[in-house]
Amino acid sequence: MFPSPMRHFAAWLVALLAMCALALPASAQEIRTEARYGDENISVELLADGMPVAGEEWMLALAFTPRSDEWHGYWKNPGDAGQGMQLQLALPEGWELGEALYPVPETLVQEVGDERLMNHIYKGRFTVLVPVRVPEDAVIEGIPELTGFVEYLACTDTVCVPQDAVLRAGVGGDFARWRAEVAPLLDAKGTFEITGRKLRIAIPLPGSVGLSGPRAFIANERLVEYAATQTFRREGDLLIAEIPLDEFGTGEADEVSGILAFGDGSGVRFEAAPGDVTTGGKLIAGPVGMQTPPLWTLILGALAGGLLLNIMPCVFPILSLKALSLARAGESEAQARSEGLAYSAGVVLACVGLGAVMLALRAAGEQVGWAFQLQEPGVVVLLLVLATVITVNFAGLFELPGLSITQSGKPGGAFATGLLAAFVATPCTGPFMAAALGAALLLPAPMALLLFAMLGLGLALPFLLIGFVPALRSMLPKPGPWMERFRRIMAIPMGLTVLALVWLTVQLGGRGFALFAIVMLFGIVLALGVVGRLQKAGKMAWPAFGLVAAPFLIFGAFALPSSYEAQASQKTESIHQPVAFNREALAEARASGQPVFLWFTADWCVTCKVNEGLAIERETVRDAFEKSGVVAMVGDWTVRDEEITSFLTEQGAAGVPLYLWYEPGASEPEQLPQVLTTDMLIDRASKERR
């Protein structure tokens, strides 16, 4: 989250100085008998919990007392700076010193220049318990005269002082309270995985445990970014924590352990082994961009977003001709409503089905987002075929009664048209949709599917209203010869959609793959032309389609898979000459101290291309960026990219477009609207100069 080299230099410098000050004597086995620095700022006392018993655990305590409230001590992993305790005890032979047990620490955040450091500290009095395993054959005659030496660091917000003390065990202390203050160890181990530059931990925690402000303190040093915002989700009796990795760490661990703080001063210790970590769950804490708005606002957003999809170039022709078919038919009120319901059912079912598949794939560990199917070459070819069939149908080359786009007919035709309209609308993520679809990735499955259903209802709403409101049908133009001309005009935007899909097949599978797809399309169009001629002659047409199209379809079935070549994400052409997105490049750009404009796009995203043409790719914007030193960066999601998908999810986005603006030194980016203007970008750049 704060990956600047300066941050790590400052942290390691403090740690190095502390370690030098607290270095062990030349003989590491020799226990010091004289303090070098003393414990004036945070005093320490070694206490024993009564008489040791052979074969059992004997508990010792190190009770630390600061001389004033301004001083604090450190947890065993101190964080970005500081130093943990180093303890030596002179135990009888065969007695074993266990792992020190700590209370739940606090966080201390400090700004160092433009960087943000986080330490894990204790304010006020605190006690560290140290268990000792007594062998079964131990001969115990009273309380052993136990001695030792401890080194640690005492700090205020401005200064750190090394401390040390010679220890001699005494008896006494409030061990019952101290045991209660120590974070207890969970009975069951969790699992963890490292993926997409994140540590993901599944901690077995009963769902009844309240979490007002969870925080995972990771004992593994330099594994995670300590100051990064942590994300927590609940899935039954599992708590899933996601923490960005330390950009300069190894990113590897055989085991992960630490303390989970609940937010009320209490917490538990956990241990986790490598294993699968479930996805999904209810978001309970995370970055501001991932906080889930109220459900009613998400429902309205999905509904409004679906409504706006109707004006997209691949949906509007289908909707408009289907609506005009009702006016032309002059059917009964019951039939109009029946078609309206059937069309709406098809749209809603398609949206819910696509949403369910996306959620299932994510639950299985796949990094996918909204419109994921357009990253699959086979699906794009299917869409290409459908768009071609619709285009030649609109052009009047043939009629397709079963689909009944341009004719009023049975509900089955309207249902199929609804399925088609929803399927071809998925490349778009427009205004109002972003928050709803992003939340769908975080909410429980039933609530997420509700949002997808509302998206479908918004897409179906115009036709549904036309079917149920006679006054709206009466407002439609009167039937006449112009309708046939309008239908042929609507073939133009559908034809442009075909060309766009052909171009997309090149981006996904290469030129050879696209060429074979065009050959197959030629055969399909030829077969449809034969169908049209036979239909006009009043003859049985569709068997002829099978005879003509079959060789081309068989050719496609064999040629397309063999010609497919997976394409890497190509560099996006732009007047800004942007840096290609990856996490390391973003970290370097932010560390430069310059503002960063990061946008995510895809060749199949209509909204993305409109924004780029009307706002981003403008010379006035480029000039403003150059004057302000703005670093332009782009992530191309045309081809599936797990790193981009993971990053989009972290920002609460289900798909593209996504526009982020990083102020110099800011901990989180500002998410810009999904409809951009040149003035908006110029103003942002100009603000940096003021």
Side-chain angles (χ1 to χ4, degrees), residues 354-373:
L354 287 170
V357 171
M358 182 185 75
L359 294 175
L361 289 174
R362 291 180 67 87
E366 294 289 330
Q367 293 287 346
V368 296
W370 182 245
F372 67 93
Q373 68 274 18

Side-chain angles (χ1 to χ4, degrees), residues 469-526:
V469 182
L472 291 178
R473 290 201 304 278
S474 65
M475 294 172 62
L476 295 174
K478 300 297 181 183
W482 68 271
M483 294 184 67
E484 190 62 28
R485 291 194 298 272
F486 181 73
R487 165 181 159 171
R488 295 180 187 276
I489 291 172
M490 287 296 100
I492 296 175
M494 287 306 302
L496 293 175
T497 301
V498 170
L499 293 178
L501 288 169
V502 169
W503 181 65
L504 183 56
T505 59
V506 176
Q507 308 306 308
L508 292 177
R511 294 183 178 180
F513 180 76
L515 178 62
F516 288 146
I518 292 172
V519 171
M520 186 180 69
L521 282 180
F522 172 78
I524 293 174
V525 172
L526 180 65

